[in-house]
Amino acid sequence: MAGEIQLNGTSFASESGGTITVNNGTLGSDVVFPTGHVISFQEVTYNTQTNITATSFTTLLDIMSITITPKSSSSHFYLSANIPYYTYSPDKMLTATFFKDDSDFLGLSSGLGTSGTGGATNVLSKTNLVISYLDESSIPSTPVPIKYSVAFKSNSTSIYQRLFDSGITGTFTVMEIQG
């Protein structure tokens, strides 16, 4: 039996053949979504050519950072970065990882991803370094803003890695996942 639900004469949901359709309405800020749903999404892009020779992780003046305030103390955060770069010298590599509140919270000396040219000589290597991570760290009961950044390092101080070569756009995405 088909039907409809009304409040103050306004129809906001109807049923037909066992399917319920929400016709009108806005979800309030206190709605709780089931575990695993994306409840917040932020992305930054960057495309200014940047050279790096640092051999320890640097966030390069925060060119790829996102500050997000958790909507829930049970949230998790999925981080993903796509970094276009090139190197033109054999055996030179770019390594990337994520920082949280300006610290290397993962503590991985090898980062989350490394890419390089291999052993050939006079090789120009253009590629994308893609990294991702699910941060399941605990969040205070009263959530405070969290700053996530992409950090980079090179294996050489004499030969730079060129990020975002010729204006190619890189992306950094943070998705808050209901925990």
Side-chain angles (χ1 to χ4, degrees), residues 44-48 64 82-84 128 164-171:
V44 295
T45 60
Y46 192 78
N47 63 0
T48 300
M64 295 187 91
N82 180 358
I83 303 114
N128 284 347
F164 320 107
D165 181 45
S166 302
I168 298 172
T169 300
T171 59

Side-chain angles (χ1 to χ4, degrees), residues 7 9 16 27-28 44 77 94 98 119 121 126 137 157 167-168 172 174:
L7 286 175
S16 178
L27 296 176
V44 295
F77 294 91
L94 176 71
F98 295 115
T121 58
K126 289 188 177 191
S137 306
T157 57
I168 298 172
F172 175 39
V174 176

Side-chain angles (χ1 to χ4, degrees), residues 27-40 71 74 178-179:
L27 296 176
S29 60
D30 293 331
V31 171
V32 177
F33 289 92
T35 299
H37 279 69
V38 175
I39 57 176
S40 179
K71 295 187 182 310
S74 64
Q178 180 66 47

Side-chain angles (χ1 to χ4, degrees), residues 1-3 13-22:
M1 176 163 85
S14 60
E15 182 276 335
S16 178
T19 300
I20 296 174
T21 303
V22 176

Side-chain angles (χ1 to χ4, degrees), residues 134-151:
L134 179 63
D135 182 8
E136 298 179 284
S137 306
S138 61
I139 296 172
S141 57
T142 302
V144 295
I146 301 169
K147 177 183 171 188
Y148 289 107
S149 304
V150 183

